[in-house]
Amino acid sequence: MTRAGPERRARSGRTSTSRRVYALLIGVAVLACALLASVMFGSRTTSFGEVLGVLSGTADPYVTTVVESRYPRTALGLLAGLCLAVAGTLTQGVTRNPLADPGLLGINAGAAASVVTATAFLGASGTTDTMWWALPGALLAGLVVHAIGSAGASTTPVRLVLAGAVLSAVLMAFIQAVTLSRPKVFDSYRYWVVGALGGRDFDVLLPVLPFAAFGLVIALLLGPALNTMALGDESAASLGAHPALVRGAGLFAATLLSAAATAAVGPIAFVGLAVPHLVRALVGVDFRLRIAFSAVAGPALLLLADVVGRVVLRPQELMVGVVTAFIGAPALLYAVRRMRGTA
């Protein structure tokens, strides 16, 4: 009887490890398929053999041009999906709110307000200009939310959520006032605010890459601390953690990642909400694994959504932000029902 317990736990541990390995292999395989589909499908579908011909340099020049034109949006989908999914995992861990996503911290609203301001008053136009203005706006909004949430007392998840909601409401009111009074600004803003991978090249990707890399490194380092924080601030402090420092670093990393993604492709909703729930169902509550798996599942989801948007209305395209909204809404309903069942 005394040996049955340890043996049972050992078998359970081996089963859990095998499940995680299988989940990782499946996730990598799905991501590889998503990358391949992203360079194959579009207004003109190319076959797998043609893609191989392009990679080997033996394809027809026209086919080569078509396939290579899809490289930037594939790279952007890979980067944005990774950033949004990891930022969502961090946000849910820091706020201890399973329905939290990066937009809850006012980051999307800050980027949008910055783009609208630059377009209306500073003459900004084009994808590159909006990218450069969206990035500081998103970073500033994240810092303001953290400053408001920690002013006068220790930072708590509730204070952060309320600060993000208040700042988002104020910025959205400003955005509506400017866009409704300036029709030309509204025409430019309505395209950016939906979120899209098309119409962009590597000039948009390269400037945000350092921010994304820095945020990802911080996120990976915070995994063990977030596991401790899940026990509550008092328990975490008794175990030697520093809740305020961990929360601030997590918010900073989530802000960097979300700002990089939003600046590059616009505010894409639900990726930061749906992917963390999917990953948690596969690998459990360990944030070290959740962050790593989110970095695989996020790009796969976003790239597949982009492929769906390209083929469903061919030869026209449906913006990826619209497709992710259709995917994320059922995920949100599932999360709410699961929370109610747990309660």
Side-chain angles (χ1 to χ4, degrees):
M1 291 295 292
T2 57
R3 288 200 301 266
E7 291 176 357
R8 189 179 300 110
R9 287 193 295 270
R11 287 196 300 268
S12 176
R14 288 193 295 268
T15 302
S16 178
T17 302
S18 300
R19 180 183 176 185
R20 291 167 179 171
V21 171
Y22 290 143
L24 178 60
L25 293 176
I26 293 173
V28 172
V30 172
L31 177 58
C33 292
L35 290 169
L36 180 61
S38 183
V39 297
M40 285 179 59
F41 295 101
S43 57
R44 180 196 185 280
T45 300
T46 53
S47 66
F48 180 68
E50 289 176 324
V51 173
L52 290 179
V54 172
L55 295 177
S56 63
T58 60
D60 179 83
Y62 174 72
V63 175
T64 301
T65 302
V66 171
V67 173
E68 289 181 349
S69 67
R70 297 169 183 163
Y71 288 168
R73 72 186 300 165
T74 301
L76 281 170
L78 182 66
L79 178 70
L82 183 152
C83 289
L84 293 173
V86 174
T89 301
L90 288 175
T91 304
Q92 292 181 9
V94 167
T95 63
R96 296 201 294 272
N97 181 356
L99 298 181
D101 71 345
L104 190 67
L105 301 179
I107 296 171
N108 292 346
S114 183
V115 168
V116 167
T117 301
T119 304
F121 305 111
L122 300 176
S125 61
T127 303
T128 304
D129 284 350
T130 56
M131 182 272 298
W132 279 113
W133 282 104
L135 187 59
L139 290 172
L140 182 61
L143 293 176
V144 169
V145 167
H146 184 265
I148 296 175
S150 59
S154 60
T155 306
T156 64
V158 175
R159 290 170 62 90
L160 290 171
V161 171
L162 291 177
V166 169
L167 182 64
S168 296
V170 172
L171 292 178
M172 292 307 298
F174 168 76
I175 291 169
Q176 290 182 359
V178 174
T179 54
L180 291 177
S181 62
R182 295 172 179 261
K184 292 184 178 180
V185 176
F186 177 75
D187 289 338
S188 174
Y189 170 73
R190 67 178 181 176
Y191 175 81
W192 178 84
V193 76
V194 176
L197 302 181
R200 293 164 170 83
D201 53 27
F202 288 113
D203 291 339
V204 175
L205 176 67
L206 296 178
V208 302
L209 197 56
F211 296 92
F214 189 36
L216 181 61
V217 170
I218 297 175
L220 292 173
L221 294 176
L222 283 177
L226 289 175
N227 287 336
T228 306
M229 290 285 292
L231 303 174
D233 287 0
E234 294 182 0
S235 298
S238 66
L239 293 173
H242 301 279
L245 180 61
V246 173
R247 191 172 289 115
L251 288 175
F252 180 64
T255 300
L256 284 176
L257 293 167
S258 301
T262 304
V265 300
I268 297 178
F270 287 112
V271 174
L273 173 64
V275 172
H277 281 283
L278 174 63
V279 170
R280 180 173 180 173
L282 292 174
V283 303
V285 297
D286 190 339
F287 274 96
R288 296 171 297 178
L289 296 174
R290 291 172 64 182
I291 291 171
F293 275 71
S294 295
V296 175
L301 174 64
L302 190 59
L303 288 172
L304 291 176
D306 185 48
V307 171
V308 171
R310 285 188 242 175
V311 301
V312 70
L313 295 178
R314 190 184 293 172
Q316 302 297 322
E317 287 190 13
L318 192 63
M319 291 184 178
V320 68
V322 177
V323 181
T324 57
F326 278 103
I327 297 174
L332 177 61
L333 293 175
Y334 169 76
V336 172
R337 289 180 62 86
R338 185 177 182 183
M339 287 175 60
R340 184 178 64 180
T342 303

